[in-house]
Each structure stands twice: as structure tokens, then as C-alpha cells.
């Protein structure tokens, strides 16, 4: 491997290390922070081979990337949750003591009691005798059949920080674990982790070096620490940008709110140079009356001239999955999982029952729904009336309306996290279903994999997975016909599953049957009638086969062409009008929106189009502070020019 060039910023980091100082390397988008991180790890590995290094990063994919670049037995690369659990997991007694305190703390709403403990009861340490605490994706304090309970992502850091504050030995163990601890994308790291690393451990006699790498301007998650200004760290700024054209750099600098102003890279071989000269790129701010006018943009000559019609090099960035689901072709499936009014009615009924304002004993579903008089808002009709008048819901309502509420309530459950719980895992280099993925979607995932293998000609792997037996040439022909039928875009989800099960492409199992008979009963009644193509479109979206993506998910990526839609829909945490002096007066909303905008525009390697669905003249006038006059265009002018 060729020796890495030691950047001036890295040299400053080593000066801090030599002086025993903790440090922060702050670099804007495209500055090569990961390159610097790896350079530092490599140099330490070469110069101090016996020193142990822990590199903490935000995702499994980032873990995989860093591991692939460095080989060092003394290097431990991990997500923050895995790292913390590795430190505290063996101290079961201490975990239980903290759990008891947190569960009994009436102001701490995240730590729910076990189901067999009444609301007015406290829990004591003896409850956890002979019970093992595990770390998993879900939280549950009710012991399973193996006498195990689980704490989740959202709970582990709270417990850990409490443990570090109570038991100083944990800080000593952490220091002994690593001579160096480097935190990648520090701005997304929980403040609780920062307290562990910089408050608790730094008060101990023994010391290690803590280094942070990131960019406060890219703090787009509410759970992150955002700024480290309150801590005494040696600050190193990395100002050169290796990704973006000069016009993108200039635009992004106007939205930064700190002392880090980026400049084009001085490296003649940097990706954003052409024959050693920084490329200029293209920036267009286009405004129109509404989102629907995006079609005019896509049909325009400008769109095609800049190569935005090439989906392989273009990403259209929208704020929410809902906005994307419509464009990607799975809106009905998305709304089933996220805004189903039957599920909403059940949730509201449960709230009233739990609050004691509604008595469910001995009443049918219809009686309870009518009595509750639940509306979404004051101006809306009753939810039960919406359900009865809807062709989507009325049949199911008529089927269960005479059923006692206690019998039906557990059958109307949909986990909204299930649909999107399917992601790429860099550690195993493949997509996989997450814990929240329901059994219906998991069956469909098996079919999807078979279709992909068959269509891509990977027949050996395909045949190993299917349960269909091939004994003759006739069987081969039949199998081909089955795959044609199962890939028919006019099929419903229910039809596809039936074909797959009936022809033994996949096997029926008792757990699946039990699921659709009980907790998945309502979900199955709805999803089986949706087009299978909606599921396929959703998978194409999750696998990033389509050009549309959420603005949050795009972080860390880069594309030749980027189209940013400035439409926050109904999400009140953001308001894109605030970028131009209008909209929400909430400072948090303004800052959150500005940072997200910064992240989205800096994904661009060549051409950027920003589309604002507003003709507000004050916004257009304000845009002149950020964009050149010739780059501010009315959508109607673009569409007429293309004719």
C-alpha cells in the first residue's frame, strides 16, 4: 500500500497528541475527514504498534468502510452502542441497580415497567434475580422464557452514563481498553457519550487521548451533540473541499454559521478539479407555483442538457418518505403502515380506556367506537364515520363491528417501523430485514430475492433457495411459467404469496399462519389486496435503485447531479421558507432547516438544481443574496423555452 500523504491538519493533530491534548478535527462537507482519520490511525499503528485504538462511528456501514481500509489487530472499530455495551455489559449487577432507579423515576418516561408490575408499584432489585440483561433493538423488561430482558438503542446510553457517574471503575476500564479513542461524525453522537468520554473518564488519574472528527454544520439529527465548543479541545480546521464545484462551495459557505469557510482543494488531483483547475459546476434556483410543476422541469431542455434525466448519476432529494413514496410508486403501501385510520382509531380508543374515560368491558367494537366520538381534529368527521363510508375500510368494519373489543383489539396492529426496516449492512455486504420487519413483509422479501436471482441469471443460487423440485425438463418449463406469473405486475400481494406457496417456491410455516390469524389479521386483510408492484417499488426505493431519496439519508453520499425539493410537507420541524427570511420564527426550526439544506446541496459533484414551490416575491428577492441573477429562474420560463 502506498504511503499516505500527511496533511497539514493531520500534523497539527499529532502536535496535540504529543502534548497530551484531546482534539477535534472540524471539516466541512467533502473535506476528506475520513481520509484524515484513517491517516492518523495508520500512523499510530506504524509508530506505536502496541497502542490500542478504538474508532467509534455512527453506522455499521461506516464501521465496514473503515475496517476495509485498515488492518491492525490493536484497532477496534465499532458503533457507539456496541462499544458501550462491550464495556458495561458484563456488569450485570450494576446495570440492574441503575435500571431499578430509572424505572422507578417518575420523570423518566423512557423506562417502562414490566407488564406484571402495576403502575402504582415500585420495582426492587430482587425482581431481576436470576434474570440476564441483554442489549437488543427492542426494549422489554418483561422476562422471556429464558429469563432475559432487553434494553434498546434508546436506553443503553442513558444507563451507561448513569453507571459511569456512579462507578468510577468503569472509567478506569475504559481508559485501559484504549490508548486512543476516535469518534467519527461526532456531531451525531449523543451528549451522554460525550459526558462519558470527556467528563467521567477525564477525571481519573490515568489518561488516554480522545479525538473527534466531524462538522457541526452537518448535525441534522436531534439526538446529536451538535457543538463541542463548551469543551477544552485543541481545534483543527480542515477547510479544503475535494468534492464540490466552486459554485457549490460558495453557496454552502453562505449558509455556514461558524468560522469554517471552505475553499477549493489545492490538490491538482482532487475529484473536483479538471486538469488541476477547480471545476465551476452549475447551480440553478428554480421557483414555481407548486410541487406538481416539477413535471415541467423534468420535461425541460435544461433538465436534459445538464444530464438530470440520467437516473444513474442523479438524485432527487425530498424531505420525507411520504413525499418519496408517491414519486417512487408505493404511496398506498406507505400509508397503510403510517397513517391507517383504523389503526389510528384503535390507538385513540386505547388512550381513552387507559385514561379511565372509556369503559370497554362487555362492549362490541361498534358500540365502543360510536361512544368514543373520536375525531382527528375539531373540523374532521368522526373516525368511525370515515371508516364506515370508505370502500377501503367498510368491509372489514362490518366484519368485526359486532365482535367484543377485547377480542379484536390485538388483531388490529401495524408497526409503522416495519416497512422501512430493511437496510444495507456493510458488515455482511448485503441488505437485510431489521427486527421490526413483520412476517408478511419477510415472506415477500424471500420472493423478492428469488425474483432478483432468477432475473439476473443466478440459477444455481436460485435453485438452492426454492423448495420446488426439478426432476424433468417439463419441471423446468413449469418453473419458468411460475416465475412469469409471479412477476406479473397486475398481481396483488395476496396472489403472489399464494402462487409462491402453492408452487413451493417458499414454504408455509405455522408461525406465519398464526401471525395472520392473530396480531397480523388486519394487516393481512389490507395488504393482500394491494398491488404487488407497490411492494416491488418500495424495495427499489429501499435499495436505492431509483433516483429519489430522503434528504437525511443522503448524508455521506455524493452524486454528479442533485435536485433538492424545498417542500417540508406537514413536517413542522422544518420550514424551507426560513432559508429566505420567511416562515417559522422558531430558532430551532431555522437552524435545523439550514443545516439540512447545507447537507443536501453539498452532495453535488457537478450540477445542482434547487426547486422552490413558491412564487412569494420576498423569497425570490432574498434568493438574490445567495444565487447569481442568471441562476434564478421561473419554472414557466424554463418550460416555454424548451418548446
Amino acid at each position: 500500500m502506498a504511503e499516505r500523504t500527511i496533511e497539514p491538519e493531520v500534523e497539527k493533530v499529532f502536535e496535540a497528541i504529543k502534548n497530551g491534548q484531546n482534539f477535534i478535527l472540524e471539516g466541512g462537507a467533502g473535506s476528506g475527514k475520513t481520509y484524515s482519520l484513517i491517516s492518523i490511525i495508520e500512523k499510530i499503528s506504524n509508530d506505536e504498534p502496541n497502542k490500542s485504538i478504538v474508532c467509534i462511528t455512527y453506522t455499521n456501514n461506516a464501521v465496514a468502510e473503515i475496517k476495509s481500509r485498515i488492518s491492525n489487530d490493536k484497532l477496534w472499530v465499532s458503533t457507539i452502542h456496541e462499544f458501550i455495551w462491550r464495556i458495561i455489559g458484563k456488569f450485570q449487577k450494576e446495570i440492574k441497580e441503575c435500571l431499578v432507579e430509572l424505572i422507578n423515576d417518575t420523570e423518566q418516561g423512557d423506562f417502562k415497567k414490566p407488564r406484571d408490575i402495576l403502575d402504582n408499584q415500585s420495582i426492587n432489585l430482587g425482581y431481576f434475580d436470576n434474570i440476564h440483561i441483554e442489549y437488543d433493538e427492542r426494549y422489554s423488561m418483561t422476562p422471556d422464557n429464558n429469563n432475559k430482558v432487553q434494553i434498546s438503542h434508546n436506553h443503553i446510553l442513558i444507563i451507561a452514563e448513569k453507571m459511569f457517574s456512579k462507578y468510577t471503575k468503569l472509567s478506569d476500564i475504559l481508559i485501559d481498553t484504549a490508548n486512543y479513542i476516535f469518534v467519527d461524525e461526532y456531531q451525531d453522537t449523543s451528549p451522554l457519550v460525550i459526558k462519558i468520554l470527556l467528563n467521567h473518564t477525564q477525571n481519573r488519574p490515568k489518561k488516554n487521548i480522545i479525538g473527534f472528527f466531524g462538522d457541526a454544520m452537518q448535525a441534522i439529527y436531534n439526538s446529536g451533540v451538535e457543538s463541542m465548543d463548551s469543551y477544552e479541545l485543541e481545534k483543527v480546521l480542515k477547510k479544503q473541499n475535494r468534492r464540490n464545484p466552486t459554485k457549490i462551495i460558495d453557496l454552502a459557505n453562505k449558509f455556514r454559521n461558524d468560522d469554517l469557510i471552505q475553499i477549493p482543494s489545492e490538490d491538482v488531483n482532487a475529484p473536483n478539479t479538471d486538469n488541476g483547475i477547480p471545476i465551476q459546476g452549475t447551480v440553478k434556483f428554480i421557483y414555481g407555483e407548486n410541487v406538481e410543476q416539477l413535471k415541467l422541469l423534468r420535461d425541460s431542455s435544461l433538465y436534459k442538457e445538464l444530464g438530470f434525466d440520467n437516473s444513474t448519476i442523479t438524485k432527487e432529494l425530498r424531505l420525507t418518505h411520504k413525499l418519496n413514496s408517491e414519486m417512487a410508486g408505493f404511496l398506498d403501501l406507505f400509508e397503510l403502515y403510517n397513517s391507517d385510520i383504523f389503526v389510528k382509531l384503535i390507538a385513540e380508543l386505547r388512550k381513552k380506556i387507559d385514561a379511565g374515560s372509556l369503559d370497554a368491558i362487555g362492549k362490541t367494537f361498534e358500540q365502543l367506537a360510536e361512544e368514543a366520538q373520536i375525531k382527528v381534529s375539531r373540523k374532521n368527521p368522526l373516525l368511525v364515520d370515515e371508516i364506515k363510508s370508505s370502500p377501503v375500510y367498510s368491509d372489514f368494519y362490518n366484519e368485526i363491528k359486532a365482535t367484543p373489543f377485547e377480542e379484536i383489539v390485538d388483531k388490529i396492529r401495524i408497526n409503522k417501523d416495519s416497512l422501512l426496516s430493511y437496510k444495507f449492512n456493510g458488515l455482511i455486504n448485503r441488505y437485510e430485514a431489521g427486527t421490526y420487519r413483520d412476517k408478511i413483509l419477510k415472506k415477500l422479501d424471500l420472493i423478492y430475492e428469488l425474483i432478483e436471482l432468477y432475473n439476473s441469471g443466478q440459477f444455481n443460487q436460485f435453485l438452492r433457495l426454492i423448495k420446488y423440485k426439478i426432476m424433468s425438463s417439463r419441471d423446468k418449463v413449469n418453473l419458468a411459467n411460475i416465475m412469469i406469473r409471479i412477476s406479473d405486475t397486475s398481481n396483488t400481494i395476496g396472489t403472489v404469496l399464494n402462487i409462491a406457496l402453492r408452487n413451493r417456491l417458499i414454504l408455509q410455516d405455522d408461525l406465519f399462519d398464526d401471525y395472520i390469524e392473530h396480531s397480523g389479521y388486519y394487516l393481512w386483510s389490507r395488504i393482500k389486496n394491494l398491488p404487488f408492484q407497490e411492494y416491488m417499488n418500495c424495495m427499489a426505493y429501499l435499495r436505492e435503485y431509483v433516483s429519489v431519496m430522503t434528504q437525511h439519508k443522503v448524508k455521506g453520499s455524493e452524486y454528479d447531479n442533485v435536485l433538492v425539493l424545498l417542500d417540508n410537507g406537514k413536517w413542522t420541524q422544518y420550514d424551507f421558507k426560513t432559508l429566505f427570511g420567511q416562515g417559522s420564527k422558531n430558532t430551532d426550526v431555522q437552524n435545523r432547516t439550514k443545516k439540512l439544506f447545507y447537507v443536501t446541496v453539498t452532495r453535488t459533484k457537478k450540477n445542482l438544481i434547487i426547486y422552490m414551490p413558491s412564487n412569494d416575491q420576498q423569497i425570490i428577492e432574498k434568493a438574490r443574496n445567495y444565487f447569481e441573477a442568471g441562476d434564478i429562474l421561473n419554472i414557466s420560463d424554463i418550460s416555454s423555452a424548451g418548446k
Side-chain angles (χ1 to χ4, degrees):
M1 182 185 293
E3 189 174 338
R4 285 181 191 271
T5 302
I6 301 299
E7 306 160 299
E9 297 89 353
V10 171
E11 291 178 351
K12 290 181 180 179
V13 166
F14 278 107
E15 287 179 20
I17 290 174
K18 184 179 179 181
N19 295 326
Q21 292 177 292
N22 298 325
F23 66 89
I24 180 169
L25 188 147
E26 191 92 22
S31 61
K33 295 182 290 295
T34 301
Y35 182 93
S36 299
L37 168 62
I38 291 171
S39 296
I40 292 166
I41 294 174
E42 283 185 346
K43 184 169 172 55
I44 294 172
S45 300
N46 292 329
D47 295 351
E48 303 177 272
N50 293 321
K51 296 290 187 179
S52 55
I53 308 167
V54 169
C55 180
I56 298 169
T57 189
Y58 199 66
T59 65
N60 281 329
N61 295 342
V63 170
E65 181 185 356
I66 293 172
K67 281 185 174 180
S68 69
R69 297 196 194 184
I70 303 173
S71 178
N72 179 358
D73 293 339
K74 291 284 187 177
L75 172 65
W76 177 12
V77 188
S78 164
T79 63
I80 184 60
H81 296 84
E82 290 170 349
F83 172 68
I84 290 294
W85 183 249
R86 188 77 67 89
I87 298 295
I88 70 170
K90 66 185 89 172
F91 298 102
Q92 289 284 307
K93 178 176 176 294
E94 289 81 358
I95 293 175
K96 293 172 184 178
E97 288 174 354
C98 290
L99 260 178
V100 168
E101 289 184 37
L102 290 164
I103 291 172
N104 289 333
D105 185 350
T106 56
E107 296 183 1
Q108 179 60 258
D110 292 329
F111 288 80
K112 304 298 183 184
K113 293 179 180 179
R115 285 198 295 268
D116 55 348
I117 302 293
L118 298 177
D119 289 341
N120 60 353
Q121 285 184 310
S122 295
I123 193 169
N124 56 53
L125 190 59
Y127 182 90
F128 292 110
D129 286 348
N130 303 315
I131 289 176
H132 189 77
I133 314 292
E134 292 191 337
Y135 161 55
D136 207 337
E137 202 168 335
R138 299 187 183 190
Y139 173 89
S140 175
M141 285 297 105
T142 303
D144 63 15
N145 294 333
N146 297 314
N147 276 342
K148 295 178 179 179
V149 297
Q150 299 170 176
I151 55 174
S152 74
H153 285 56
N154 298 332
H155 303 84
I156 186 173
L157 300 183
I158 300 172
I159 292 172
E161 195 279 323
K162 192 173 190 64
M163 289 174 67
F164 271 85
S165 68
K166 291 182 65 170
Y167 313 111
T168 56
K169 65 180 179 181
L170 284 174
S171 295
D172 295 332
I173 291 169
L174 178 60
I175 294 168
D176 289 336
T177 299
N179 300 107
Y180 298 93
I181 297 178
F182 299 136
V183 181
D184 194 22
E185 301 290 354
Y186 80 81
Q187 72 278 356
D188 298 327
T189 304
S190 166
L192 296 170
V193 175
I194 305 301
K195 284 183 72 174
I196 290 171
L197 296 178
L198 293 181
N199 291 87
H200 300 314
T201 62
Q202 296 303 298
N203 293 327
R204 306 303 298 155
K206 292 175 69 175
K207 303 291 183 186
N208 56 5
I209 295 293
I210 313 291
F212 299 90
F213 300 76
D215 180 12
M217 197 62 197
Q218 297 186 62
I220 61 175
Y221 301 109
N222 292 335
S223 58
V225 66
E226 296 190 12
S227 173
M228 301 283 286
D229 291 343
S230 60
Y231 292 95
E232 294 182 4
L233 302 170
E234 182 67 20
K235 192 170 186 178
V236 179
L237 297 180
K238 196 171 189 190
K239 296 182 177 182
Q240 292 187 36
N241 184 311
R242 298 174 55 84
R243 175 195 301 151
N244 303 131
T246 55
K247 293 192 73 168
I248 307 295
I249 295 172
D250 292 342
L251 174 65
N253 281 337
K254 292 173 183 176
F255 285 91
R256 291 198 71 96
N257 54 7
D258 56 14
D259 56 351
L260 203 165
I261 302 299
Q262 288 193 286
I263 59 175
S265 175
E266 296 171 0
D267 180 0
V268 296
N269 297 313
N272 59 353
T273 62
D274 184 12
N275 293 321
I277 300 172
I279 64 174
Q280 184 179 33
T282 302
V283 175
K284 301 294 180 184
F285 179 84
I286 301 172
Y287 60 94
E289 294 179 4
N290 48 52
V291 175
E292 285 68 34
Q293 286 192 314
L294 269 173
K295 186 178 185 304
L296 299 177
L297 173 61
R298 296 193 189 95
D299 292 338
S300 69
S301 57
L302 174 69
Y303 193 83
K304 296 177 176 66
E305 286 168 5
L306 294 177
F308 277 79
D309 56 337
N310 184 348
S311 61
T312 62
I313 60 171
T314 299
K315 281 296 177 189
E316 180 172 326
L317 308 182
R318 299 175 175 225
L319 182 59
T320 67
H321 289 298
K322 181 172 182 181
L323 292 170
N324 287 347
S325 69
E326 183 174 10
M327 183 176 176
F330 63 100
L331 179 61
D332 288 343
L333 185 61
F334 182 86
E335 290 187 334
L336 169 60
Y337 277 88
N338 288 272
S339 55
D340 184 90
I341 60 173
F342 225 122
V343 175
K344 188 177 294 183
L345 176 60
I346 291 293
E348 293 300 320
L349 289 173
R350 280 174 167 164
K351 284 182 185 177
K352 283 182 172 288
I353 293 167
D354 292 342
S357 60
L358 189 64
D359 183 10
I361 298 174
K363 294 176 183 174
T364 65
F365 183 83
E366 182 178 34
Q367 288 172 327
L368 208 62
E370 296 285 353
E371 182 182 336
Q373 296 284 291
I374 294 171
K375 298 180 178 181
V376 176
S377 67
R378 191 177 295 177
K379 296 181 179 179
N380 288 87
L382 295 177
L383 278 181
V384 68
D385 290 339
E386 285 191 65
I387 289 169
K388 288 192 292 185
S389 63
S390 168
V392 174
Y393 300 107
S394 59
D395 286 348
F396 185 81
Y397 176 79
N398 291 328
E399 177 189 338
I400 60 96
K401 66 182 182 181
T403 306
F405 181 78
E406 295 90 340
E407 292 182 19
I408 196 64
V409 66
D410 288 332
K411 293 187 175 184
I412 307 177
R413 291 186 175 186
I414 297 178
N415 187 338
K416 68 177 184 179
D417 295 322
S418 179
L419 184 64
L420 303 180
S421 182
Y422 183 90
K423 297 175 181 164
F424 184 76
N425 185 342
L427 294 175
I428 60 175
N429 199 36
R430 61 168 289 155
Y431 286 87
E432 62 178 1
T435 304
Y436 295 107
R437 196 78 162 170
D438 63 59
K439 287 181 171 57
I440 298 172
L441 290 175
K442 285 182 178 180
K443 284 288 185 189
L444 295 175
D445 295 343
L446 290 174
I447 297 171
Y448 179 88
E449 187 174 4
L450 292 176
I451 292 173
E452 277 221 324
L453 290 172
Y454 187 84
N455 290 341
S456 62
Q458 300 179 64
F459 298 119
N460 288 335
Q461 194 172 347
F462 171 81
L463 291 171
R464 281 197 294 269
L465 290 178
I466 64 173
K467 308 307 174 184
Y468 183 93
K469 300 298 182 184
I470 298 179
M471 308 298 292
S472 66
S473 58
R474 181 183 291 272
D475 292 335
K476 290 182 181 179
V477 173
N478 287 339
L479 179 59
N481 289 331
I482 292 168
M483 295 307 299
I484 292 172
R485 287 166 55 206
I486 210 167
S487 301
D488 187 340
T489 57
S490 65
N491 285 330
T492 65
I493 286 174
T495 299
V496 168
L497 264 174
N498 285 333
I499 294 171
L501 291 166
R502 192 169 59 249
N503 293 282
R504 296 182 65 80
L505 295 183
I506 60 176
L507 289 180
Q508 191 85 37
D509 64 79
D510 293 339
L511 288 175
F512 178 77
D513 293 341
D514 183 73
Y515 176 75
I516 63 174
E517 188 177 341
H518 295 98
S519 60
Y521 185 79
Y522 175 68
L523 175 60
W524 176 243
S525 75
R526 288 286 321 282
I527 200 172
K528 68 182 181 182
N529 296 317
L530 292 179
F532 183 65
Q533 190 61 49
E534 284 226 0
Y535 164 80
M536 294 292 286
N537 291 343
C538 181
M539 292 297 281
Y541 173 70
L542 294 174
R543 286 183 167 236
E544 300 179 21
Y545 294 160
V546 295
S547 60
V548 66
M549 185 181 286
T550 64
Q551 292 168 354
H552 285 83
K553 190 174 181 179
V554 79
K555 186 180 177 184
S557 302
E558 55 187 37
Y559 305 94
D560 283 3
N561 297 332
V562 174
L563 168 61
V564 181
L565 173 62
L566 300 185
D567 178 25
N568 45 281
K570 297 181 179 180
W571 200 352
T572 56
Q573 291 189 42
Y574 299 88
D575 187 345
F576 290 112
K577 291 181 179 180
T578 63
L579 298 171
F580 309 100
Q582 302 293 308
S584 174
K585 303 301 181 184
N586 186 301
T587 305
D588 289 339
V589 171
Q590 294 172 10
N591 290 335
R592 195 180 297 120
T593 304
K594 184 183 291 185
K595 289 179 177 181
L596 186 63
F597 181 75
Y598 176 88
V599 167
T600 58
V601 301
T602 54
R603 303 307 99 193
T604 310
K605 296 196 298 181
K606 289 184 179 178
N607 306 303
L608 170 68
I609 294 177
I610 298 162
Y611 181 70
M612 184 76 189
S614 172
N615 282 324
D616 188 316
Q617 288 306 302
Q618 292 185 43
I619 291 176
I620 311 308
E621 188 60 35
K622 186 73 172 182
R624 302 183 190 278
N625 295 336
Y626 304 110
F627 305 95
E628 296 177 15
D631 291 333
I632 302 175
L633 305 168
N634 190 316
I635 188 68
S636 59
D637 294 336
I638 293 174
S639 59
S640 59
K643 294 179 180 179

